Amino acid sequence: LDEPAEHTFENCVCTACGAEILEVKYIDRFWDEENNQLVSAEADIPSNTVEIKKDTTELNGGWYAVCEDVEIEDRIVVKGTTQNPTNIVLLDGFKLDAKAGIEVAEGYVLNIFTQNHDTGEITADLSTGIYYNYHNAAIGGSQNKGGGTITVNGGTVTVTSVGGAGIGGGSDGHGGTITINGGTVIAKTYNEGAGIGGGAYGSSGTITINGGTVKAYTNNDGNGAAAIGSGYGSDDSGTITINGGNIT
């Protein structure tokens, strides 16, 4: 199959995947406040969805898909808003390795979805090698920036950070609004940032866990950052709500 100039999706078939012919569906999850339960629903990916490639560094509002294993060297910047969010669908069996992390700063919105087998992945490790960065969240704010609105609906999201949160705020930044509805989230920090929540000196923001498996760790030599919550040096615990899920 020839490589198209820009991948799109037609008739529920991922044209980027050639002979694999994956059905183009994703799983949406949300908390039903009235019935106090997590709801999952299968939906079609929009036909104007664009494939994330190795040279993708900015994600505006709209739909994107990971249709093959992709490594991106530069920090990816999310520009979706509440009115037009950035939506990433992790197709089953494929991984996005965001080497320098994904910036979702305050005011911007990222939603992460997967398919029904829940085997898509995102990884970001800012703790070692040439990608070491003390200040940035692996997914969330960069230095002195609070996190935006980040929702994980599925897949495996594995992040490691230092002074920024694994998911949430950069150093001196609050965690923003973080919701986990499904999938597996593994968040580790090696210094003053929280695993999920605020960066160093940043409050947790608003964290809601409705489902999925959440593994959050800190290895901060007693600096006092939370695994889930605020970074070192913050007196503001923010708001943390746990409605479900498996948390360790």
Side-chain angles (χ1 to χ4, degrees):
L1 183 71
D2 292 335
E3 184 78 356
E6 179 174 291
H7 290 281
T8 58
F9 298 85
E10 297 176 357
N11 301 321
C12 294
V13 174
C14 177
T15 61
C17 296
E20 302 242 350
I21 311 299
L22 299 176
E23 288 188 6
V24 186
K25 299 274 189 181
Y26 73 96
I27 303 299
D28 191 11
R29 294 183 172 98
F30 60 92
W31 185 255
D32 182 344
E33 294 283 355
E34 182 176 351
N35 295 302
N36 200 36
Q37 65 181 6
L38 185 67
V39 177
S40 298
E42 191 175 59
D44 292 333
I45 298 176
S47 61
N48 61 348
T49 299
V50 176
E51 185 190 13
I52 293 177
K53 301 181 181 181
K54 65 181 181 180
D55 59 353
T56 300
T57 58
E58 186 170 299
L59 299 174
N60 295 309
W63 287 85
Y64 300 85
V66 176
C67 300
E68 59 185 356
D69 290 340
V70 181
E71 291 185 0
I72 298 178
E73 302 285 336
D74 295 332
R75 190 160 173 82
I76 303 166
V77 179
V78 165
K79 293 293 187 180
T81 63
T82 302
Q83 294 76 23
N84 187 23
T86 297
N87 304 293
I88 296 177
V89 181
L90 306 171
L91 269 63
D92 282 334
F94 298 121
K95 179 169 75 173
L96 168 61
D97 186 358
K99 296 289 190 182
I102 302 173
E103 180 180 288
V104 189
E106 184 174 5
Y108 296 104
V109 180
L110 171 64
N111 301 313
I112 299 171
F113 301 95
T114 190
Q115 294 184 288
N116 61 347
H117 294 299
D118 217 22
T119 57
E121 298 180 57
I122 291 180
T123 59
D125 185 352
L126 307 188
S127 69
T128 188
I130 63 173
Y131 302 103
Y132 175 91
N133 188 296
Y134 175 85
H135 296 288
N136 292 346
I139 300 178
S142 296
Q143 182 176 6
N144 299 323
K145 291 183 179 180
T149 300
I150 301 167
T151 302
V152 179
N153 292 300
T156 297
V157 179
T158 305
V159 292
T160 308
S161 63
V162 187
I167 300 176
S171 61
D172 293 297
H174 61 77
T177 301
I178 302 165
T179 303
I180 299 172
N181 290 324
T184 299
V185 175
I186 303 169
K188 181 183 290 186
T189 181
Y190 279 103
N191 204 290
E192 297 177 335
I196 300 172
Y201 302 98
S203 70
S204 69
T206 301
I207 302 170
T208 304
I209 300 174
N210 295 319
T213 297
V214 178
K215 302 177 180 181
Y217 309 89
T218 57
N219 182 14
N220 53 31
D221 297 324
N223 283 335
I228 301 174
S230 300
Y232 165 77
S234 173
D235 296 326
D236 185 352
S237 61
T239 301
I240 302 173
T241 303
I242 299 175
N243 293 314
N246 179 19
I247 303 168
T248 60

